[in-house]
Amino acid sequence: MHLRILTVYTVLIACLVAALAVPFARAYSSHRTGQLLLERRADATRLAELADQAIRDGYTAGLVQEVYRYHQLYGTEVEIRGRDGERVAGGGAWEREPAERALSGRTTGSLPLVTPFGPASVMIAEPVGRDAQVSGVVLMRVATATARREVALVWAAVAGGSLVAVACALIAARRLARWILRPVTELDLTTRAIAEGRMDARVRDGGHGPAELRLLERRFNAMADAVSTALDRQRAFVADASHELRTPLTVLSLRLENLEPHLRASGGGDYAEALAEVDRLAGLLEDLLELARVEAGAADPEPIPPAALAARLGTWREVHAARGLTLVVDVDRAGGPDAPPLPAPAARIADIALDNSAKFVPSGGTVTVSLDAAGALRIADDGPGLTPEQLAAALGRFWRAPDHGNVPGSGLGLAIAAELARSCGGELTLRAGEPRGLVVELRLPAV
């Protein structure tokens, strides 16, 4: 937008300056051309009077001397001819068209416009005679070098002044554009900061920019405060509710266990299902608490080296082996021994993905954890995978696949993983494996 405002403003100023400078330059050329015509036509008129007297007296020696001196003084070619076309004095200035016009009694009323580019000379023709009696013609070939030089100097001054005016306008336009767009720039930086998770970022009120945009800044800050407050209240409610429910669930679980000796044999199945539901609710509350902590920015800030991550993920081999799965962990060699550490949430994300693979990959499958040099952590399996529609919805909260309803879980695992990825500046994506399976990929920011 800054460039567009600057371009529009500069083009308008340039057009305005051109609209003033071009007519002025042309007007001066017209003025200098008229001045040249008046100067030389006065001389031509004086020579025409001398020529008329000389032709009438039949004595042209004095006229020849006058024409010669005039040529020496001004460097102008002058030629005087009689009615029948014979040369009376001078020479080198003959042209048929202006001569015939002057012999018809018409004097030169205008000249071609003199500009720095031409013409090199102009013709002035003046009839010789009295009243309606034309006895000859005076022709003058006037050089325009002096007039063109003067016009060029004026045009150069006009061009220089125009460039200075446009340059000043450009400087003013840049300052004006910055002044106008400074609130917009502040809004852009603040929205970017909020999008990156810094919910306390606000627009600084520096008193710059139009009043309407400053009002927009204040309203944006008010909106950001309201949204931040609502998010804080939501997270606090989730955390408080989850925390407060843990104690009743624990008490309920203990009381159910205490009831076991008093149950009849026929009630054993219902008793086991009740305990399973209590355990499921407890797991759901734990996941809600973890999600609230992640959203509140309470994730572990300590990074983890690739070798330590490999050792931690190796503990999942027994869990996978118990379900008939093969776990391959290949993250400690990525980038060599001097590889930079990974953000702490990467380990928790890998735990969530491995926990899901242990639940959903059929016996005999293989799960591979790898880390490439670009910092992308991948957990890939060769299980049934998800459909494209399921891949698009799997990162949502409480999402469960239709055919996984009987598998323990809260549906918050991948949602927590996505929040963890955002908390460390990364991005979590799900995609189908080749030829089948699911790939959970965490792309981390450049170290």
Side-chain angles (χ1 to χ4, degrees), residues 183-196 198 201 204:
V184 179
T185 303
E186 291 289 340
L187 284 171
D188 177 65
L189 294 176
T190 305
T191 53
R192 184 184 305 175
I194 292 175
E196 292 173 354
R198 301 197 298 272
R204 296 174 299 175

Side-chain angles (χ1 to χ4, degrees), residues 313-329 353-368 379-384 436:
L313 298 182
T315 60
W316 284 90
R317 286 194 175 93
E318 295 182 3
V319 177
H320 284 69
R323 291 171 170 78
L325 303 175
T326 302
L327 176 62
V328 179
V329 179
L354 290 177
D355 181 60
N356 286 341
S357 65
K359 292 177 182 178
F360 303 120
V361 177
S363 178
T366 301
V367 182
T368 304
I379 301 92
D381 62 61
D382 56 0
R436 66 180 185 275

Side-chain angles (χ1 to χ4, degrees), residues 25 62 80 91 142 149 160 165 168 214 218 221 265 301 344 346 396:
I80 300 176
V142 182
R149 184 167 56 252
C168 293
R214 294 202 301 271
R218 292 192 292 271
N221 285 339

